Amino acid sequence: MTHLPKIKMLTLATVATLAACATTPLRSDPTTSEIRAAQELGARQVPTAALHLQLAKEQLAKAEALSAKGDEERADSMLERAQADAELAVALSHEDTEKNEAEAAIARVRELRSDNEALQTTAPSTEQ
Amino acid sequence: MTHSNSLILLASASMLIGCATIAPKELVDAREHYQRASRGDAADAAPAEVHVANDALARAEHSFDEDGDTYRTRDLAYVAQRKSQLAEATAAIKQQKASKADANAEYRETQGEIVDQTKGELDDARKDLLVSQQAGAMTAAQLKAEKEARADADRRAAEALAKLGAVRDDDRGMIITLSGSVLFASNKATLLPAARARLEEVTDVLLEEPDRKLTVEGHTDSQGSDDYNARLSQRRADAVRDAIVARGYPRDLVRTQGLGEAQPVATNDSSEGRANNRRVEIVVARD
């Protein structure tokens, strides 16, 4: 009877020690992918997107540093900030692209109408 | 419960707690951004993203209620603010896409209008071309008829003139030769009465087409000096010109030339030949 509690105690102690030493690795892949997506969409050339891209990178670095120190809770929390900024950088890049394309489409219509009017003005009249 | 109601409740709860703890800046900013997003275009254009922002803000408020101003509350509020901004950006993307689609539709519509307009103009141009071609054909027919009429007039004039004197054609035009002995007394440049009547008949024929240029040339035989013959032939040519003009032919279309004995048409060695050389020729120019 005296051996069994000792074994149990040892087992529990071992499990507890292993649990304390085991660190969950920082799940930063989604954030890293989002940052890469923002860069590929040209976030660096869009001022608002570039700002949030930079914030995402900085906060990812902070999260990794916290994780390295073993402060997983704060690391995960900081990683959420990085993820939010990376997603916003992607959206702002999209917005800029759409805005440019919309402006180009409007300009194209204006040019078409202008060219047609110019042709109408310069075309010789068929009436005598 | 709507998002707004839940927010009001959360805000009220926050205020009660706020008596004890001041909300961190991140949470204040998150509330402001959410208010802006939920009341702006995003509410209609990006309702799903606004809902996500609402949930994120609720988590931040809950953290603040439970734990106060902690790093977790600040991080959650920070994320909530970004979710509200994301909702606004998503709404802006949708609006820009709609604007682009409208512009592209307008472009296609305008192109269609231009094509229709061009087709109309092309049809008009084809009709005008057809009318012009018909008019051109008519003009060609008129020209042909006019040419034939002119040729007919020339033929009739030649026939009429042939009765009055010798008529021939050469490079310069139609040439009417009037015998000098019929027109003038020897060594004189005054028209004989009979000659005047004959010239009037010739002029009447010429007046059928009074737009032709005439050259009246005087010729003599070789008797007498060259100088004398030149002056005599000139005076005779002038006399014939005066008779033609007096009958009504335009003076500016008639010029004269005294050629003396320079261009004989027969020998000057016989009296018959000399008689043929004494002559006046009226050259009727072609058009």
Side-chain angles (χ1 to χ4, degrees):
Chain A
M1 289 294 285
T2 54
H3 290 287
L4 194 60
K6 277 185 182 175
I7 292 169
K8 275 186 180 176
M9 287 290 282
L10 276 171
T11 306
L12 284 169
T14 306
V15 169
T17 306
L18 285 171
C21 294
T23 55
T24 309
L26 188 68
R27 288 177 294 180
S28 60
D29 285 353
T31 306
T32 306
S33 297
E34 202 72 19
I35 287 172
R36 195 179 302 122
Q39 287 171 335
E40 286 170 1
L41 286 167
R44 288 197 189 95
Q45 280 71 50
V46 184
T48 51
L51 169 68
H52 290 285
L53 176 64
Q54 184 59 32
L55 288 170
K57 286 179 179 176
E58 288 174 4
Q59 285 159 163
L60 176 61
K62 282 181 187 175
E64 286 169 343
L66 288 166
S67 178
K69 285 181 187 173
D71 193 348
E72 297 302 333
E73 283 187 7
R74 294 196 71 161
D76 286 342
S77 192
M78 185 57 70
L79 190 62
E80 285 182 39
R81 282 187 181 229
Q83 176 70 20
D85 271 313
E87 286 173 3
L88 187 56
V90 168
L92 292 171
S93 301
H94 272 307
E95 183 188 341
D96 187 69
T97 302
E98 291 297 334
K99 185 182 173 192
N100 290 337
E101 288 181 5
E103 285 174 354
I106 290 166
R108 195 169 64 132
V109 173
R110 201 173 292 133
E111 190 179 2
L112 180 66
R113 288 192 168 159
S114 172
D115 287 351
N116 188 45
E117 282 172 9
L119 278 174
Q120 293 299 311
T121 306
T122 55
S125 173
T126 54
E127 292 178 9
Q128 297 294 318
Chain B
M1 188 178 289
T2 63
H3 297 162
S4 300
N5 289 337
S6 60
L7 262 177
I8 289 165
L9 284 173
L10 284 166
S12 302
S14 300
M15 284 175 73
L16 287 170
I17 293 166
C19 295
T21 312
I22 297 170
K25 182 178 181 301
E26 287 86 344
L27 186 55
V28 174
D29 289 345
R31 289 169 183 161
E32 286 178 4
H33 275 86
Y34 179 77
Q35 289 299 315
R36 198 174 69 192
S38 62
R39 290 174 182 170
D41 295 335
D44 292 327
E49 284 76 8
V50 171
H51 182 75
V52 169
N54 180 62
D55 288 350
L57 181 58
R59 280 196 295 277
E61 295 285 8
H62 181 73
S63 175
F64 181 57
D65 292 344
E66 294 292 318
D67 305 322
D69 183 3
T70 61
Y71 78 86
R72 185 57 185 156
T73 298
R74 290 182 183 187
D75 288 349
L76 287 170
Y78 184 94
V79 170
Q81 181 186 331
R82 294 293 180 261
K83 295 297 181 188
S84 291
Q85 289 174 293
L86 190 64
E88 288 183 312
T90 304
I93 289 168
K94 287 185 179 176
Q95 285 167 349
Q96 297 295 356
K97 279 186 175 174
S99 177
K100 184 172 70 174
D102 287 348
N104 285 338
E106 196 176 342
Y107 185 84
R108 286 192 294 274
E109 191 181 334
T110 306
Q111 266 188 327
E113 286 170 6
I114 292 170
V115 167
D116 290 344
Q117 183 184 336
T118 308
K119 277 181 183 171
E121 286 170 0
L122 188 60
D123 285 345
D124 289 345
R126 280 178 179 153
K127 285 174 190 166
D128 289 345
L129 182 62
L130 191 61
V131 169
S132 296
Q133 284 173 336
Q134 287 170 344
M138 198 179 290
T139 305
Q142 285 171 337
L143 281 173
K144 189 181 175 190
E146 196 172 307
K147 197 173 177 181
E148 286 173 355
R150 177 59 67 96
D152 190 48
D154 284 350
R155 186 176 47 74
R156 282 188 283 106
E159 286 172 2
L161 290 168
K163 295 173 185 171
L164 302 170
V167 177
R168 73 177 194 279
D169 277 315
D170 73 6
D171 293 343
R172 295 178 296 165
M174 182 169 65
I175 298 169
I176 306 159
T177 303
L178 301 169
S179 170
S181 56
V182 174
L183 298 173
F184 303 101
S186 181
N187 292 324
K188 300 286 185 186
T190 306
L191 286 166
L192 295 168
R196 193 172 291 280
R198 170 163 282 192
L199 273 176
E200 285 176 357
E201 290 177 45
V202 169
T203 305
D204 287 346
V205 174
L206 295 174
L207 280 170
E208 288 183 13
E209 291 185 72
D211 56 346
R212 303 284 187 100
K213 286 180 182 173
L214 306 180
T215 304
V216 180
E217 296 175 348
H219 299 271
T220 64
D221 59 24
S222 61
Q223 290 185 321
S225 68
D226 289 351
D227 185 51
Y228 175 80
N229 285 334
R231 281 188 278 112
L232 178 64
S233 65
Q234 182 64 54
R235 291 206 314 275
R236 286 180 167 179
D238 289 345
V240 169
R241 188 261 326 271
D242 292 344
I244 291 171
V245 170
R247 189 65 177 171
Y249 208 89
R251 186 181 186 87
D252 59 335
L253 293 178
V254 188
R255 72 184 186 92
T256 59
Q257 199 172 7
L259 296 170
E261 59 185 76
Q263 294 180 8
V265 290
T267 178
N268 280 304
D269 295 337
S270 67
S271 58
E272 189 182 349
R274 286 194 294 274
N276 286 332
N277 287 336
R278 293 191 296 272
R279 68 197 191 278
V280 170
E281 291 182 347
I282 302 170
V283 182
V284 184
R286 291 195 184 88
D287 285 338

